[in-house]
Amino acid sequence: MTETAYSRTDNMCDKHPDRLGIGKCRGCGRVVCRDCVTRMKGIMYCPSCVSIRFKSQKGGSAQGLTTLISYVEFTVSFVLLSAFIYLLFVFIDNLRW
């Protein structure tokens, strides 16, 4: 029989040593089980790396909210302008009769 490069303990979850790991965290290389893994865009991360990643992106969420508000303001303004133009044409059309 050939020896494998990893023993069974190398494939056990770092947080839950009694559970078999399903892969390694892209951020730190720790082995993660199904309960620990978080996938972001198809990449596996451990809970520690996820919390670090979210802390570093907190500022980005405020920027995303500002962008969303800008889109909403634009949409509301566009709808109101369209309604005004429509009513103006209706009013002008009624003046001709």
Side-chain angles (χ1 to χ4, degrees):
M1 287 226 301
T2 60
E3 255 184 73
T4 59
Y6 298 101
S7 69
R8 181 162 169 78
T9 57
D10 289 336
N11 292 326
M12 302 309 283
C13 177
D14 280 0
K15 187 174 179 183
H16 305 105
D18 59 325
R19 297 183 190 165
L20 190 62
I22 60 166
K24 290 190 176 187
C25 173
R26 173 71 67 88
C28 64
R30 291 185 187 122
V31 177
V32 289
C33 66
R34 291 190 186 279
D35 293 333
C36 291
V37 72
T38 300
R39 295 179 199 263
M40 293 183 192
K41 298 182 181 177
I43 300 170
M44 289 191 270
Y45 293 98
C46 71
S48 300
C49 289
V50 169
S51 65
I52 291 169
R53 193 170 180 93
F54 279 125
K55 283 180 186 175
S56 68
Q57 290 180 353
K58 266 191 175 175
S61 65
Q63 182 183 5
L65 182 61
T66 305
T67 304
L68 177 65
I69 291 171
S70 297
Y71 285 133
V72 170
E73 288 174 347
F74 172 78
T75 304
V76 169
S77 300
F78 181 76
V79 168
L80 289 175
L81 180 63
S82 298
F84 175 76
I85 291 171
Y86 171 77
L87 291 174
L88 184 64
F89 279 108
V90 168
F91 178 74
I92 290 172
D93 194 42
N94 284 337
L95 285 178
R96 285 192 242 171
W97 291 97

